[in-house]
Amino acid sequence: MYANRGMYAEEIVNRTIDYLINSNCLIEKRNIPIKIVKDLNNNLVMGKLLSKSTVDYCGYINHKHIEFEVKQTNQPNFSTDMIKPHQYEYLLKSERAGSIAFVIVYFSLFDEFYLLQIRWIDNYVKTNEKKTIKYEAIKQECQLLPIVYPGIINLAEKI
């Protein structure tokens, strides 16, 4: 039911990373710590999660350390429940340690990407006592990441 959620958003982010590699950027997608426990056949394996992962991406843009997660929604809002609690805490700790920590949210209804700083998300949740953030609030308060040729988001200019 939930397979491949966010694959379009991650594909665009991965293309962006490939495109930015020749500039002042170095961003890596982290691997999920999995141990293969059984080979079921040539194309299918059974694995065990060794530990909780942190966030999807880390690296440097314009000499600034970044940590971020990518999420996709087909709703006219963003539920912070999409961010796992350990990832949310990791992003807050990263921000306190000096990193630029954020979530990139893709709204498929509007075909738009936004950069939401983790501090902004945390303040919104605490101030409004809601875990769901309306698209209108994000559009007004957060950074739009336009899709530019060749199918990448304008990330480096927004950091």
Side-chain angles (χ1 to χ4, degrees), residues 1 7 9 12 21-22 25 27 38 48 70 75 77 82 88 95-97 113 132 134 149 155 157:
M1 177 173 162
M7 292 307 291
I12 294 293
I21 198 72
N22 295 323
C25 301
I27 304 168
K38 187 175 183 182
K48 178 182 176 183
V70 177
Q75 301 297 313
N77 55 55
M82 291 178 72
Y88 193 91
E95 192 262 346
R96 285 192 296 268
F113 286 86
T132 299
K134 298 280 185 195
Y149 182 84
L155 183 59
E157 293 181 14

Side-chain angles (χ1 to χ4, degrees), residues 14-55:
N14 291 339
R15 278 193 218 157
T16 300
I17 290 168
D18 290 343
Y19 179 79
L20 293 174
I21 198 72
N22 295 323
S23 62
N24 286 333
C25 301
L26 174 62
I27 304 168
E28 294 182 341
K29 178 159 177 41
R30 287 190 170 120
N31 294 321
I32 298 172
I34 295 176
K35 178 181 179 183
I36 296 174
V37 293
K38 187 175 183 182
D39 187 356
L40 300 175
N41 64 40
N42 290 340
N43 296 320
L44 188 63
V45 296
M46 184 182 301
K48 178 182 176 183
L49 192 60
L50 296 174
S51 64
K52 293 179 182 178
S53 62
T54 53
V55 291

